[in-house]
Amino acid sequence: MKALVWHGKEDIRCDTVTDPEIQDPRDAIIRVTSCAICGSDLHLFHNFIPGMMPGDIMGHETMGEVVEVGTGVDGKLRKGDRIVVPFTIICGECDQCKRGNFSVCETTNRKKHLADKVFGHSTAGLFGYTHLTGGYPGGQAEYLRVPFADATHIKVPAGIPDEQLLFLSDIFPTGWQAAVQCDIVPTDTVAIWGCGPVGQMAIRSAILLGANQVVAIDCLPDRLSMAEAAGATTINFENESVLERLKELTDGKGPEKCIDCVGMESHVMASWPDTLLDRAKQMMMLESDRPHVLREMIYVCRPGGIISVPGVYSGFSDKLPMGAFMNKGLTMRTGQTHVNRWTDDLLRRIEQGEIDPSFVITHTVPLEQGPEMYQVFRDKRDSCVKVVLKP
Amino acid sequence: MFHLSNIVRSKGDPKLVEGGPSLKRPQDQLARALGWFSIGLGIMEFVAPRRVTETLGMEGHEMMVRAFGVREILAGVMSLSVDKNAGLWARVGGDGLDAAALLSGLTSDNPKKGNIALALLVVGGIAMLDYRVAQDTKPGRPPRNARRKLYPSRSGFRKGLQAAKDRAKEMTQHAAAGVTS
């Protein structure tokens, strides 16, 4: 089969690889009908997250049709079923899964010993996302083996196009969880840094959860226009001061809720000296993340407010203003997404026509063009916001 | 490479059959080679500056050679990073400093001036290569003032923004009243 394979930093190729096989009775194999490139795939593209090996198949936003099931799937999936595959692999049986904390499933990371060393305790296995999270082959391919398939799936009905359903795998529940974590009340201003795909989903989620005002921060006019389309007030940080403008929009008090949809690769600008220092340190491997957005959020957030972090951080961040964080009594909530905790509700909202997540797709191309699209997406060429690949 | 990385894969995981074309261009490979060359030269300058100054008849300038070594290492690391273009331009600047330092030693009383002339020739050649590769690896990001598409009609709310806000208000009121929808 064809698959997008990681060969090293900035080197992804469309290779021919052997088809996946059932390895465990709880496995299923799907024929991929649609998959997407996620912003966090770019961290892997840049080799900023440790644990990638040449030959790893990329991709964790995938959906398709079940073509083979193991004997232990217990009738929960059948050949021909149409499923979206959540990016977090879950067993559905461990303590964390029973609490709904699916992204920290205690069972599914098959390289738990590595993750235990790095993170203290292992998190769930993830598709196409380094050997720290299990080294599972990803879904930017023609076929995908879904481990623990009896639990790791979202069954979706026929009659709704892939494009509306695909993002249940990651970015829609990720944006949703980011907003839910903010405990939004109708008087809240929610400020969202980063108007990439997760940021766009977080904007719509904050509106659906009843925020009074949503402020979207980015520097790209295409992405800001998409944010405005959903009713957000926008700040272009290349043209105006984020701190001043947020103060102005909140009567000098700061937003109650802040969401970081940027993560470890924040924008680098000469007028932000901390970003230059972070970039230099990241290059020298003295710091793994560039946490400019975290610093800004802690500084600008209203005392007693909540900071929600769906953006990916991989290791160590320097110069975080913990004094301000502690003295202002802020709360930070973060984590990989507990996808299956939210998908019943989100699927219902899609079915009822409340939201159509396909608004974010700007490019749809065959899988073979995937490697070039990594570059286009990374460089934000051609006003690219979200790429869907068709195997 | 794959034989090694395949060790960490499970038996039924897909294995490479035939590789596809690489995104790496020749200039990217050259940038990488220059990066490693820079690091190698930098380490040599930092560790053995006396060998360098003796070869060039410029004894007494060991501290400068050491500083240049640090500069080479930094430029090399940058050239190997995702910001390789910045690293390559740093190398071009460094080539200028190297040339200036060598010219300062090119005096009539220097018995090793032949070595300096040779070094200048090498620096000139490498500077041309650095400049060429820096030109060829410009980042693919469009310039700030590039014309971009706008998406003013992509709200994602199929029933419109106001309907989404009304629905949110309704849900909030229901939640306050303890009603589930």
Side-chain angles (χ1 to χ4, degrees), chain A residues 115-160:
Chain A
D116 279 345
K117 290 242 171 4
V118 176
F119 297 135
H121 297 282
S122 171
T123 57
L126 308 179
F127 288 100
Y129 208 79
T130 84
H131 288 263
L132 284 178
T133 55
Y136 289 100
Q140 288 167 6
E142 290 177 307
Y143 292 92
L144 172 69
R145 177 178 77 93
V146 182
F148 299 90
D150 52 326
T152 307
H153 70 265
I154 305 150
K155 255 192 214 175
V156 289
I160 304 176

Short mmCIF file of all heavy atoms in Angstrom, two decimals, chain A residues 115-160:
data_model
loop_
_atom_site.label_atom_id
_atom_site.label_comp_id
_atom_site.label_asym_id
_atom_site.label_seq_id
_atom_site.Cartn_x
_atom_site.Cartn_y
_atom_site.Cartn_z
N ALA A 115 7.93 5.91 27.81
CA ALA A 115 7.13 7.06 28.26
C ALA A 115 7.24 7.24 29.76
O ALA A 115 7.27 8.37 30.26
CB ALA A 115 5.68 6.86 27.84
N ASP A 116 7.28 6.13 30.50
CA ASP A 116 7.42 6.22 31.97
C ASP A 116 8.69 6.98 32.34
O ASP A 116 8.71 7.80 33.25
CB ASP A 116 7.48 4.82 32.58
CG ASP A 116 6.09 4.20 32.74
OD1 ASP A 116 5.11 4.95 32.64
OD2 ASP A 116 6.01 2.97 32.92
N LYS A 117 9.77 6.70 31.59
CA LYS A 117 11.06 7.36 31.88
C LYS A 117 10.98 8.86 31.58
O LYS A 117 11.49 9.68 32.34
CB LYS A 117 12.17 6.75 31.01
CG LYS A 117 12.54 5.33 31.39
CD LYS A 117 13.98 5.28 31.82
CE LYS A 117 14.43 3.96 32.43
NZ LYS A 117 13.54 2.85 32.48
N VAL A 118 10.32 9.22 30.48
CA VAL A 118 10.31 10.62 30.05
C VAL A 118 9.27 11.44 30.80
O VAL A 118 9.53 12.56 31.25
CB VAL A 118 10.06 10.70 28.52
CG1 VAL A 118 9.96 12.15 28.06
CG2 VAL A 118 11.19 10.01 27.77
N PHE A 119 8.06 10.89 30.94
CA PHE A 119 6.96 11.66 31.52
C PHE A 119 6.64 11.29 32.97
O PHE A 119 5.74 11.87 33.58
CB PHE A 119 5.68 11.47 30.68
CG PHE A 119 5.78 11.98 29.26
CD1 PHE A 119 5.31 11.23 28.20
CD2 PHE A 119 6.32 13.22 29.00
CE1 PHE A 119 5.40 11.70 26.90
CE2 PHE A 119 6.42 13.71 27.69
CZ PHE A 119 5.96 12.94 26.64
N GLY A 120 7.32 10.30 33.50
CA GLY A 120 6.99 9.87 34.87
C GLY A 120 5.98 8.74 34.84
O GLY A 120 6.15 7.73 35.50
N HIS A 121 4.93 8.94 34.07
CA HIS A 121 3.93 7.88 33.87
C HIS A 121 3.53 7.92 32.40
O HIS A 121 3.48 8.98 31.80
CB HIS A 121 2.69 8.10 34.73
CG HIS A 121 2.98 8.04 36.20
ND1 HIS A 121 3.16 6.87 36.89
CD2 HIS A 121 3.16 9.04 37.11
CE1 HIS A 121 3.44 7.13 38.15
NE2 HIS A 121 3.44 8.44 38.32
N SER A 122 3.19 6.77 31.90
CA SER A 122 2.87 6.68 30.47
C SER A 122 1.50 7.29 30.16
O SER A 122 0.60 7.29 31.01
CB SER A 122 2.89 5.21 30.07
OG SER A 122 2.39 5.05 28.77
N THR A 123 1.37 7.79 28.94
CA THR A 123 0.06 8.23 28.45
C THR A 123 -0.44 7.19 27.45
O THR A 123 0.21 6.16 27.26
CB THR A 123 0.18 9.61 27.77
OG1 THR A 123 1.14 9.50 26.73
CG2 THR A 123 0.63 10.67 28.76
N ALA A 124 -1.55 7.45 26.82
CA ALA A 124 -2.13 6.47 25.89
C ALA A 124 -1.24 6.30 24.66
O ALA A 124 -0.42 7.17 24.34
CB ALA A 124 -3.51 6.94 25.45
N GLY A 125 -1.44 5.22 23.95
CA GLY A 125 -0.81 5.07 22.65
C GLY A 125 -1.49 6.00 21.66
O GLY A 125 -2.69 6.24 21.75
N LEU A 126 -0.71 6.57 20.74
CA LEU A 126 -1.26 7.46 19.72
C LEU A 126 -0.84 6.95 18.35
O LEU A 126 0.23 6.35 18.21
CB LEU A 126 -0.75 8.90 19.89
CG LEU A 126 -0.89 9.57 21.26
CD1 LEU A 126 -0.30 10.99 21.20
CD2 LEU A 126 -2.33 9.65 21.71
N PHE A 127 -1.65 7.21 17.37
CA PHE A 127 -1.30 6.80 16.00
C PHE A 127 -0.26 7.77 15.42
O PHE A 127 -0.41 8.99 15.54
CB PHE A 127 -2.54 6.85 15.10
CG PHE A 127 -3.53 5.76 15.37
CD1 PHE A 127 -4.65 6.00 16.14
CD2 PHE A 127 -3.33 4.48 14.87
CE1 PHE A 127 -5.57 5.00 16.39
CE2 PHE A 127 -4.24 3.47 15.12
CZ PHE A 127 -5.36 3.72 15.89
N GLY A 128 0.76 7.20 14.78
CA GLY A 128 1.71 8.00 14.00
C GLY A 128 2.35 9.13 14.77
O GLY A 128 2.52 10.22 14.24
N TYR A 129 2.73 8.86 16.03
CA TYR A 129 3.15 9.99 16.86
C TYR A 129 4.29 9.59 17.80
O TYR A 129 4.17 9.67 19.01
CB TYR A 129 1.95 10.51 17.66
CG TYR A 129 2.02 11.96 17.99
CD1 TYR A 129 1.72 12.93 17.04
CD2 TYR A 129 2.42 12.39 19.25
CE1 TYR A 129 1.81 14.26 17.33
CE2 TYR A 129 2.50 13.73 19.56
CZ TYR A 129 2.20 14.65 18.59
OH TYR A 129 2.29 15.99 18.88
N THR A 130 5.38 9.15 17.26
CA THR A 130 6.63 8.81 17.94
C THR A 130 6.54 7.51 18.74
O THR A 130 5.46 7.04 19.08
CB THR A 130 7.16 9.91 18.91
OG1 THR A 130 6.53 9.77 20.18
CG2 THR A 130 6.98 11.29 18.36
N HIS A 131 7.71 7.00 19.05
CA HIS A 131 7.77 5.74 19.81
C HIS A 131 7.54 5.96 21.29
O HIS A 131 7.36 5.01 22.04
CB HIS A 131 9.10 5.04 19.52
CG HIS A 131 9.11 4.47 18.13
ND1 HIS A 131 8.81 3.17 17.83
CD2 HIS A 131 9.30 5.09 16.92
CE1 HIS A 131 8.83 2.99 16.52
NE2 HIS A 131 9.13 4.14 15.94
N LEU A 132 7.51 7.23 21.72
CA LEU A 132 7.14 7.50 23.12
C LEU A 132 5.67 7.20 23.36
O LEU A 132 5.25 6.96 24.48
CB LEU A 132 7.39 8.98 23.46
CG LEU A 132 8.83 9.42 23.67
CD1 LEU A 132 8.88 10.90 23.95
CD2 LEU A 132 9.43 8.64 24.84
N THR A 133 4.88 7.27 22.31
CA THR A 133 3.45 6.98 22.45
C THR A 133 3.09 5.69 21.71
O THR A 133 1.99 5.55 21.17
CB THR A 133 2.59 8.16 21.96
OG1 THR A 133 2.97 8.47 20.61
CG2 THR A 133 2.75 9.38 22.82
N GLY A 134 4.02 4.78 21.71
CA GLY A 134 3.72 3.43 21.22
C GLY A 134 4.29 3.08 19.86
O GLY A 134 4.32 1.91 19.49
N GLY A 135 4.70 4.08 19.09
CA GLY A 135 5.25 3.79 17.76
C GLY A 135 4.25 3.12 16.84
O GLY A 135 4.62 2.32 15.98
N TYR A 136 2.96 3.44 17.01
CA TYR A 136 1.94 2.83 16.14
C TYR A 136 1.97 3.49 14.76
O TYR A 136 2.00 4.71 14.66
CB TYR A 136 0.54 3.02 16.73
CG TYR A 136 0.28 2.20 17.96
CD1 TYR A 136 0.36 2.76 19.23
CD2 TYR A 136 -0.06 0.86 17.86
CE1 TYR A 136 0.13 2.01 20.37
CE2 TYR A 136 -0.30 0.09 19.00
CZ TYR A 136 -0.21 0.68 20.25
OH TYR A 136 -0.44 -0.07 21.37
N PRO A 137 1.94 2.69 13.69
CA PRO A 137 1.86 3.28 12.35
C PRO A 137 0.62 4.17 12.22
O PRO A 137 -0.44 3.83 12.76
CB PRO A 137 1.75 2.06 11.43
CG PRO A 137 2.33 0.93 12.22
CD PRO A 137 1.99 1.22 13.66
N GLY A 138 0.79 5.29 11.52
CA GLY A 138 -0.31 6.25 11.42
C GLY A 138 -1.22 6.00 10.24
O GLY A 138 -1.05 5.03 9.48
N GLY A 139 -2.17 6.91 10.08
CA GLY A 139 -3.25 6.71 9.13
C GLY A 139 -3.14 7.47 7.83
O GLY A 139 -4.10 7.52 7.07
N GLN A 140 -1.99 8.10 7.57
CA GLN A 140 -1.81 8.72 6.25
C GLN A 140 -1.34 7.61 5.31
O GLN A 140 -0.17 7.53 4.92
CB GLN A 140 -0.84 9.89 6.33
CG GLN A 140 -1.47 11.09 7.05
CD GLN A 140 -0.50 12.17 7.44
OE1 GLN A 140 0.68 12.12 7.10
NE2 GLN A 140 -0.98 13.17 8.18
N ALA A 141 -2.26 6.74 4.99
CA ALA A 141 -1.95 5.50 4.27
C ALA A 141 -3.24 4.98 3.66
O ALA A 141 -4.33 5.50 3.93
CB ALA A 141 -1.37 4.48 5.24
N GLU A 142 -3.10 3.93 2.87
CA GLU A 142 -4.31 3.35 2.27
C GLU A 142 -5.06 2.45 3.25
O GLU A 142 -6.27 2.31 3.17
CB GLU A 142 -3.93 2.59 1.00
CG GLU A 142 -3.50 3.53 -0.12
CD GLU A 142 -3.04 2.80 -1.37
OE1 GLU A 142 -2.16 1.94 -1.25
OE2 GLU A 142 -3.57 3.11 -2.44
N TYR A 143 -4.30 1.84 4.16
CA TYR A 143 -4.93 0.97 5.17
C TYR A 143 -4.32 1.29 6.53
O TYR A 143 -3.18 1.74 6.63
CB TYR A 143 -4.70 -0.51 4.85
CG TYR A 143 -5.44 -0.95 3.60
CD1 TYR A 143 -4.82 -0.89 2.36
CD2 TYR A 143 -6.76 -1.39 3.67
CE1 TYR A 143 -5.50 -1.27 1.21
CE2 TYR A 143 -7.44 -1.77 2.53
CZ TYR A 143 -6.81 -1.71 1.30
OH TYR A 143 -7.49 -2.06 0.18
N LEU A 144 -5.10 1.04 7.57
CA LEU A 144 -4.62 1.30 8.93
C LEU A 144 -5.07 0.17 9.85
O LEU A 144 -6.25 -0.22 9.84
CB LEU A 144 -5.19 2.63 9.45
CG LEU A 144 -4.93 2.96 10.92
CD1 LEU A 144 -3.44 3.24 11.16
CD2 LEU A 144 -5.76 4.16 11.37
N ARG A 145 -4.12 -0.34 10.63
CA ARG A 145 -4.50 -1.28 11.68
C ARG A 145 -4.93 -0.47 12.90
O ARG A 145 -4.19 0.42 13.35
CB ARG A 145 -3.32 -2.18 12.07
CG ARG A 145 -3.65 -3.14 13.20
CD ARG A 145 -2.47 -4.05 13.52
NE ARG A 145 -1.44 -3.40 14.29
CZ ARG A 145 -1.35 -3.41 15.64
NH1 ARG A 145 -2.26 -4.05 16.36
NH2 ARG A 145 -0.36 -2.79 16.25
N VAL A 146 -6.14 -0.75 13.40
CA VAL A 146 -6.63 -0.06 14.59
C VAL A 146 -6.53 -1.03 15.76
O VAL A 146 -7.28 -2.00 15.84
CB VAL A 146 -8.10 0.39 14.40
CG1 VAL A 146 -8.58 1.15 15.64
CG2 VAL A 146 -8.24 1.25 13.15
N PRO A 147 -5.57 -0.80 16.67
CA PRO A 147 -5.47 -1.67 17.84
C PRO A 147 -6.62 -1.35 18.82
O PRO A 147 -7.16 -0.23 18.80
CB PRO A 147 -4.13 -1.29 18.46
CG PRO A 147 -3.48 -0.34 17.52
CD PRO A 147 -4.54 0.25 16.68
N PHE A 148 -6.98 -2.30 19.65
CA PHE A 148 -8.08 -2.11 20.62
C PHE A 148 -9.30 -1.53 19.90
O PHE A 148 -9.98 -0.63 20.39
CB PHE A 148 -7.65 -1.18 21.75
CG PHE A 148 -6.49 -1.71 22.54
CD1 PHE A 148 -5.18 -1.40 22.19
CD2 PHE A 148 -6.69 -2.54 23.64
CE1 PHE A 148 -4.11 -1.90 22.90
CE2 PHE A 148 -5.63 -3.06 24.37
CZ PHE A 148 -4.32 -2.73 24.00
N ALA A 149 -9.56 -2.09 18.71
CA ALA A 149 -10.58 -1.50 17.83
C ALA A 149 -11.99 -1.57 18.42
O ALA A 149 -12.84 -0.75 18.08
CB ALA A 149 -10.56 -2.20 16.47
N ASP A 150 -12.21 -2.51 19.34
CA ASP A 150 -13.55 -2.59 19.95
C ASP A 150 -13.86 -1.32 20.74
O ASP A 150 -15.03 -0.95 20.89
CB ASP A 150 -13.66 -3.84 20.85
CG ASP A 150 -12.52 -3.93 21.85
OD1 ASP A 150 -11.39 -3.51 21.51
OD2 ASP A 150 -12.75 -4.41 22.98
N ALA A 151 -12.82 -0.63 21.23
CA ALA A 151 -13.04 0.64 21.96
C ALA A 151 -12.59 1.86 21.15
O ALA A 151 -13.19 2.93 21.25
CB ALA A 151 -12.28 0.60 23.29
N THR A 152 -11.54 1.66 20.34
CA THR A 152 -10.94 2.80 19.63
C THR A 152 -11.65 3.05 18.30
O THR A 152 -11.12 2.74 17.24
CB THR A 152 -9.43 2.54 19.40
OG1 THR A 152 -8.84 2.21 20.65
CG2 THR A 152 -8.73 3.75 18.82
N HIS A 153 -12.83 3.55 18.37
CA HIS A 153 -13.52 3.91 17.12
C HIS A 153 -14.71 4.82 17.44
O HIS A 153 -15.19 4.85 18.57
CB HIS A 153 -14.00 2.65 16.37
CG HIS A 153 -15.12 1.93 17.05
ND1 HIS A 153 -14.93 0.86 17.89
CD2 HIS A 153 -16.47 2.14 17.02
CE1 HIS A 153 -16.10 0.43 18.35
NE2 HIS A 153 -17.05 1.19 17.84
N ILE A 154 -15.13 5.53 16.43
CA ILE A 154 -16.38 6.31 16.52
C ILE A 154 -17.18 5.87 15.30
O ILE A 154 -16.78 6.16 14.16
CB ILE A 154 -16.09 7.83 16.44
CG1 ILE A 154 -15.09 8.26 17.52
CG2 ILE A 154 -17.39 8.63 16.52
CD1 ILE A 154 -14.24 9.44 17.11
N LYS A 155 -18.26 5.14 15.54
CA LYS A 155 -19.08 4.70 14.40
C LYS A 155 -19.85 5.90 13.87
O LYS A 155 -20.42 6.67 14.66
CB LYS A 155 -20.08 3.64 14.86
CG LYS A 155 -19.70 2.25 14.42
CD LYS A 155 -20.83 1.30 14.65
CE LYS A 155 -20.28 -0.06 15.03
NZ LYS A 155 -21.28 -1.02 15.38
N VAL A 156 -19.84 6.05 12.57
CA VAL A 156 -20.54 7.20 11.99
C VAL A 156 -21.53 6.72 10.93
O VAL A 156 -21.29 5.70 10.26
CB VAL A 156 -19.56 8.23 11.38
CG1 VAL A 156 -18.79 8.95 12.47
CG2 VAL A 156 -18.58 7.58 10.41
N PRO A 157 -22.64 7.44 10.79
CA PRO A 157 -23.67 6.99 9.86
C PRO A 157 -23.31 7.27 8.41
O PRO A 157 -22.47 8.14 8.13
CB PRO A 157 -24.88 7.84 10.27
CG PRO A 157 -24.30 9.07 10.87
CD PRO A 157 -23.01 8.68 11.50
N ALA A 158 -23.94 6.56 7.50
CA ALA A 158 -23.80 6.86 6.08
C ALA A 158 -24.58 8.14 5.79
O ALA A 158 -25.40 8.57 6.59
CB ALA A 158 -24.36 5.70 5.26
N GLY A 159 -24.28 8.76 4.68
CA GLY A 159 -25.08 9.92 4.26
C GLY A 159 -24.49 11.25 4.65
O GLY A 159 -24.95 12.30 4.20
N ILE A 160 -23.49 11.25 5.52
CA ILE A 160 -22.79 12.51 5.84
C ILE A 160 -21.41 12.41 5.22
O ILE A 160 -20.71 11.41 5.41
CB ILE A 160 -22.66 12.70 7.38
CG1 ILE A 160 -24.04 12.66 8.04
CG2 ILE A 160 -21.96 14.02 7.70
CD1 ILE A 160 -24.00 12.75 9.56
#
